[in-house]
């Protein structure tokens, strides 16, 4: 990676990639984020990849395979969605943009991109569409704060300010990720990064991408990663609340299961934001959560009551995470993380777990 153009660029601004594809600054630790605070930060998000789907049937193909309403995606409006198995279990989730007529980008965790592409390949051969990976051609960048808004406005000149509003500058794109215009994601072509980076980064503090993952956790947006493929249905990650599932678009792979849960089932394990009192590194996405030990008879092995979705270790030795957890046990027994039984505290989310789409 360090021999590639983007690797050389990372080195030039003091970044390296760790084994999880996170960009890191030597000696940097992740500090807790104050509720409601949005620092002026820029991060390069090495853990994301891009999958392109194009051709006359691209929209039709994606509409029949994903949870979101692809007809609502325009060159000025992105949207979130997921790709599920026929049993409604998520293979990946993504942010979807329309680059041009019949040309779409799906931004997802790099660790699930190849798996998604492999499953797509079984069905895309029956349509006039093709797919290819664009990750090597783009650098994914996150920006936050008032200064980020000024940088995006000056460079991309967006025509509106609303969540998922999208603006293209040649083949580069900026997507607003919140309603207040303080959080953005940009996908910049590697061939343009040297020119555009100074304009994007001016006045912003460079941080490693674990800060950005923590910011995403604060906003209650859960990502499927390699260790959680086929572990969750969309409602477990609160996608029915955040708008990543359409219940009016018609059929798609896994739709029967997802719709049955929405209209006939009872969701027992939604996603919460949690704090884990201590974490020596063994708790990772997919790891089990258990009832508090005091509530489990000494001669029994506790059953899992949930799983970690995404997690970031903090400088003070604690961790913040998104986790799918049994609501019953949160209310009645309390929960712990991992076999050591680290204490878990429930933290607030920016939306109510039950309720209408936000």
């Amino acid at each position: 990676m360090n021999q590639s153009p983007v690797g050389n660029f990372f080195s030039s601004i003091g970044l390296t990639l760790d084994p999880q594809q996170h960009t890191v600054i030597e000696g940097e630790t992740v500090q807790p984020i104050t509720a409601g605070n949005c620092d002026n930060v820029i991060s390069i998000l090495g853990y994301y990849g891009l999958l392109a789907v194009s051709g006359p049937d691209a929209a039709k193909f994606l509409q029949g395979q994903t949870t979101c309403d692809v007809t609502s995606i325009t060159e000025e409006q992105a949207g979130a969605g997921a790709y599920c198995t026929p049993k409604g279990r998520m293979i990946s989730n993504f942010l979807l943009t329309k680059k041009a007529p019949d040309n779409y980008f799906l931004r997802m965790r790099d660790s699930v991109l190849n798996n998604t592409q492999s499953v797509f390949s079984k069905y895309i051969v029956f349509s006039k569409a093709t797919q290819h990976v664009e990750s090597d051609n783009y650098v994914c960048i996150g920006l936050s704060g008032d200064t980020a808004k000024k940088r995006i406005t000056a460079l991309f000149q967006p025509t509106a300010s609303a969540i998922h509003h999208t603006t293209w500058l040649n083949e580069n794109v900026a997507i607003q990720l919140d309603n207040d215009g303080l959080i953005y994601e940009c996908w910049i072509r590697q061939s343009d990064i040297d020119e555009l980076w100074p304009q994007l980064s001016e006045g912003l503090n460079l941080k490693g991408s674990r800060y950005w993952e923590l910011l995403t956790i604060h906003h209650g947006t859960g990502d499927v990663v390699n260790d959680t493929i086929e572990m969750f249905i969309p409602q477990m990650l609160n996608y029915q609340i955040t708008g990543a599932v359409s219940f009016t678009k018609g059929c798609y792979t896994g739709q029967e299961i997802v719709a049955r849960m929405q209209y006939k089932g009872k969701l027992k394990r939604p996603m919460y934001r949690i704090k884990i009192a201590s974490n020596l590194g063994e708790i990772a996405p997919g790891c089990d959560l258990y009832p508090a030990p005091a509530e489990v008879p000494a001669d029994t092995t506790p059953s899992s009551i949930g799983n970690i979705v995404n997690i970031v270790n903090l400088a003070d030795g604690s961790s913040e995470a998104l986790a799918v957890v049994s609501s019953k046990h949160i209310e009645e027994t309390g929960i712990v993380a991992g076999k050591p039984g680290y204490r878990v505290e429930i933290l607030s989310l920016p939306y109510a777990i039950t309720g209408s789409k936000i």
Side-chain angles (χ1 to χ4, degrees), residues 23-349:
T23 54
V24 297
I25 299 172
E26 184 177 359
E28 180 186 41
T29 58
V30 182
Q31 302 294 330
I33 296 176
T34 305
N37 188 37
C38 195
D39 293 332
N40 292 310
V41 167
I42 188 166
S43 297
I44 294 182
L45 313 181
Y47 56 87
Y48 279 140
L50 287 179
L51 180 64
V53 176
S54 58
D57 288 345
K60 181 180 178 182
F61 169 76
L62 291 170
Q63 184 79 335
Q65 295 294 329
T66 65
T67 63
C68 59
D69 186 359
V70 179
T71 64
S72 69
I73 306 301
T74 69
E75 292 173 44
E76 294 186 343
Q77 184 66 30
Y83 180 38
C84 301
T85 68
K87 294 183 179 181
R89 297 280 168 169
M90 290 194 297
I91 293 172
S92 61
N93 68 287
F94 52 80
L95 187 60
L96 178 66
T97 62
K98 186 175 184 179
K99 181 181 178 184
D102 304 328
N103 194 341
Y104 294 84
F105 277 175
L106 294 85
R107 188 274 284 143
M108 64 187 69
R109 291 285 184 138
D110 188 69
S111 64
V112 303
L113 193 152
N114 287 339
N115 192 283
T116 301
Q117 185 183 29
S118 177
V119 182
F120 268 0
S121 67
K122 298 177 182 179
Y123 307 102
I124 203 168
V125 294
F126 301 108
S127 65
K128 295 178 181 178
T130 59
Q131 59 173 334
H132 61 278
V133 177
E134 283 280 356
S135 305
D136 289 341
N137 296 322
Y138 280 85
V139 178
C140 187
I141 302 173
L143 307 91
S144 66
D146 290 321
T147 302
K149 185 174 185 176
K150 294 176 183 177
R151 297 278 73 79
I152 294 294
T153 300
L155 183 59
F156 285 89
Q157 300 180 2
T159 58
S161 179
I163 189 168
H164 292 155
H165 180 70
T166 302
T167 309
W168 290 87
L169 177 64
N170 299 321
E171 294 188 73
N172 306 295
V173 65
I175 305 165
Q176 183 174 323
L177 298 183
D178 67 338
N179 287 309
D180 299 321
L182 297 176
I183 305 176
Y184 296 86
E185 196 172 298
C186 293
W187 308 340
I188 306 298
R189 286 190 64 84
Q190 286 193 27
S191 56
D192 295 328
I193 190 67
D194 288 334
E195 175 187 353
L196 298 183
W197 176 258
Q199 300 176 64
L200 285 170
S201 61
E202 181 182 353
L204 296 171
N205 299 313
L206 177 65
K207 292 191 177 183
S209 59
R210 292 189 188 279
Y211 169 87
W212 195 263
E213 184 163 25
L214 181 62
L215 186 65
T216 303
I217 287 171
H218 269 245
H219 282 82
T221 303
D223 281 338
V224 178
V225 299
N226 185 62
D227 290 333
T228 61
I229 291 174
E230 297 190 32
M231 184 172 285
F232 308 118
I233 64 171
Q235 285 97 329
M236 287 181 175
L237 268 57
N238 302 340
Y239 285 180
Q240 80 283 10
I241 303 170
T242 59
V245 180
S246 170
F247 295 101
T248 59
K249 61 172 280 185
C251 295
Y252 57 88
T253 302
Q255 183 264 345
E256 182 178 356
I257 303 299
V258 176
R260 184 184 303 158
M261 170 59 70
Q262 188 70 12
Y263 297 116
K264 296 184 178 181
K266 182 179 179 180
L267 182 63
K268 298 178 180 179
R269 296 188 179 191
M271 186 177 70
Y272 295 85
R273 182 166 75 97
I274 66 173
K275 181 176 182 178
I276 303 172
S278 180
N279 184 2
L280 300 178
E282 69 270 32
I283 301 175
C287 284
D288 291 312
L289 299 170
Y290 300 98
E295 308 296 333
V296 180
D299 59 346
T300 64
T301 300
S303 298
S304 171
I305 58 169
N307 300 93
I308 298 293
V309 179
N310 305 121
I311 186 168
V312 173
N313 297 335
L314 304 179
D316 63 4
S318 67
S319 298
E320 283 195 28
L322 293 173
V324 170
V325 192
S326 164
S327 298
K328 174 183 176 181
H329 285 88
I330 285 178
E331 297 168 359
E332 297 181 0
T333 68
I335 56 175
V336 295
K339 292 296 184 181
Y342 296 128
R343 180 175 58 84
V344 168
E345 175 188 356
I346 303 299
L347 303 177
S348 63
L349 285 169

